[in-house]
Amino acid sequence: MRAVRLAAIDVGSNSVHIVVADVSTDGRVEVVDRVKEMVRLGRRTFTTGRLPPAAMDLAVGAVKTFARLAHARRVVRMRAVATSAVREARNGLAFVRRLRRETGLPVKVITGAEEARLIFRAAQHALGLRGGPHLLLDVGGGSVELVLVQQGRPLWLRSLPLGAARLAERFLTSDPPTKRQIQRLEKHLARELGSLLTSARHAGVARVIGTSGTVNTLVAMAAAARGQDPPRLHGARATAREVRRMRRRLLALSAGRRAELPGMDAKRVDLMPAAAVLADFVLARTGAAELMACAWALREGVLLELAGVRRDPVAGAERDRRRAVEALATRFAGANPHGRHVARLALALFDGTAAALGLPATARELLNHAALLHDIGHAIDHNRHHHHSCYLIRNMELVAFDPLEIEIMAQVARGHRKQVPKLADPELQALPGAARRVVRGLAALLRTADALDRTHFGAVRRLRIALSAAQGGPAFQWQHSVSVNWSLGAWGAGVVNHPKSGYIDQDPSNKVVPYSTWDVLGTWQPIKMVSLTVGVRNVFDTLPPFSNQGSTFQVGYDPRFADPTGRTYYARGTFSF
């Protein structure tokens, strides 16, 4: 479906945002531009009841600039919304009329419930929100939106007058705040949020997802405190313990010293103490173990609404994931026949070996996507294309995926050639234990599937897998049918040919198996059937020992290629057709 260029403007209590994107009705979103201006419409508004004149001037100027940007970007349709500060101010309606008069844009003042719904819609589109329960937390200047989500569907949505600017102006009036002020704020949060968060705790919330700039700044500061500088905040995490430590630090420092903290957004210095108290309170009361940043929020929800995107929360998320992967593959690999063929082979290997390898059923989809994307790095450079594929998967906004799923796919794609994923790798170590095993298992299957189509001609058409007992542990056996119209071998390259002796040796520096370029008596011959048995025990490490039960292909130990661990990388093919 053809995409339409749209723009959404969010006139918030802290800042005014615009996002410009190409959006199709089937949910594909390609962001063209994002701009933010901090105008602080909510400064003193929640205590005086009026929008300050200076902030209104800044907001009008920002909307004018954004309208010109939309025109320059050739936006077809645009929608602007205003939230808590404008919604509550006595002069809010007059401000909206001024915006229409001076910018030509109609600005819709939305309710808190509508704000929560649009935030949920954006987060669900960006992350999928499968499983759960998940608790969405959006901390604006004037209000807080909370959404409890299970299997992509909202169980409840709430909007409460607990924004960071409001709380800071009402409770944390000293710099740094006094102990008594902090206690008063905590009591207020307990009155307003206690029962709601208790219900979330009883539902079993394991993770809070922050969708606002203030919460995401807190996540960025936690990452900086442990020496990390994530390339993008979307999907970054902070543990509940890290948030508690950051809260203590922020409350102990004056504004001037807070501004010097790594990861701090200088324009939010005065808001962060209140935001840290609120985030820590939510994590503690729900019992959630971590806070995760989500870059999609209200304005992205407005875009989806403007585009008329309609979908079932579960089936729609799966469809969005598939379309996002296909769009990325098409962008960098065109029709991608090799990637599609490798994906089919990899799924056949998974279906026959997942139980033996201890891989969960949910890993099948990730293997399929990683296989489709494993070679997109060729668009940047051939020699290190597996690293470039990994980078593109990580950084190209694959919607409807959990960030952990994106990281698994990225590392699996990187592991399809050259160095196999090792437990000592820092990036692998950063993953949870179960995810590390998934990465190593899927990478092993992808390496094998890629090797089976090393020629990129689709010679291997089908795989039939059967588990069998083997000395030293379980093993799997597959039979693959080869196109009889193709006169080259079924395997790959990186091979030393010995046509005179009638066998081939695999280059020991290349640990992908099985593959070879077959040479029978100096002439190319079609291969009709090969049977292999591959040991499962070592499949996560390097080349496992395997052999066929007949005489067509053998891999075994050979002292010429033994490494210090005793493993070997020697393959021999004998030919009897």
Side-chain angles (χ1 to χ4, degrees), residues 214-248:
T214 304
V215 175
N216 291 350
T217 297
L218 194 62
V219 174
M221 295 178 70
R226 57 178 180 264
Q228 296 179 351
D229 183 18
R232 55 197 295 255
L233 271 179
H234 184 72
R237 292 170 164 82
T239 66
R241 182 173 297 178
E242 288 174 328
V243 173
R244 173 62 59 90
R245 285 199 297 265
M246 194 54 59
R247 168 199 144 124
R248 294 196 194 104

Side-chain angles (χ1 to χ4, degrees), residues 49 67 70 86 134 171 213 252 260 277 300-301 310 385 401 423 430 437 442 470 491 513 548 567:
V86 180
H134 313 279
F171 295 99
E260 298 173 355
V277 172
E300 287 79 14
R310 295 287 184 269
H385 72 268
F401 285 95
L423 287 176
R437 180 171 180 84
L442 297 188
W491 309 107
V513 292
N548 71 318
R567 295 188 181 91

Side-chain angles (χ1 to χ4, degrees), residues 504 518 531-532 546-556 570-574:
I504 58 171
W518 295 79
S531 177
L532 305 173
F546 68 95
S547 65
N548 71 318
Q549 301 305 310
S551 60
T552 56
F553 194 74
Q554 296 177 342
V555 172
Y570 174 64
R572 170 173 290 182
T574 60

Side-chain angles (χ1 to χ4, degrees), residues 374-451:
H374 78 281
D375 267 357
I376 60 174
H378 274 295
I380 299 174
D381 180 67
H382 169 73
N383 290 334
R384 291 172 54 83
H385 72 268
H386 53 306
H387 288 285
H388 299 310
S389 296
C390 176
Y391 175 84
L392 291 172
I393 293 170
R394 279 178 176 153
N395 292 281
M396 293 302 293
E397 283 206 12
L398 287 169
V399 299
F401 285 95
D402 183 278
L404 178 59
E405 294 174 320
I406 292 176
E407 183 61 23
I408 288 173
M409 292 189 298
Q411 293 198 30
V412 170
R414 188 188 63 188
H416 86 269
R417 67 188 292 267
K418 299 295 184 181
Q419 186 70 42
V420 296
K422 292 185 178 295
L423 287 176
D425 291 345
E427 290 183 340
L428 193 63
Q429 281 292 317
L431 299 178
R436 291 197 293 269
R437 180 171 180 84
V438 168
V439 166
R440 302 182 77 203
L442 297 188
L445 296 180
L446 179 56
R447 291 166 76 88
T448 302
D450 188 47

Side-chain angles (χ1 to χ4, degrees), residues 60 107 111-112 151 161 163 233 247 250 324 391 401 423 520 529 542 556 564:
V60 170
V107 178
T111 66
Q151 289 293 355
L233 271 179
R247 168 199 144 124
L250 288 166
Y391 175 84
F401 285 95
L423 287 176
V520 182
M529 187 70 74
T542 52

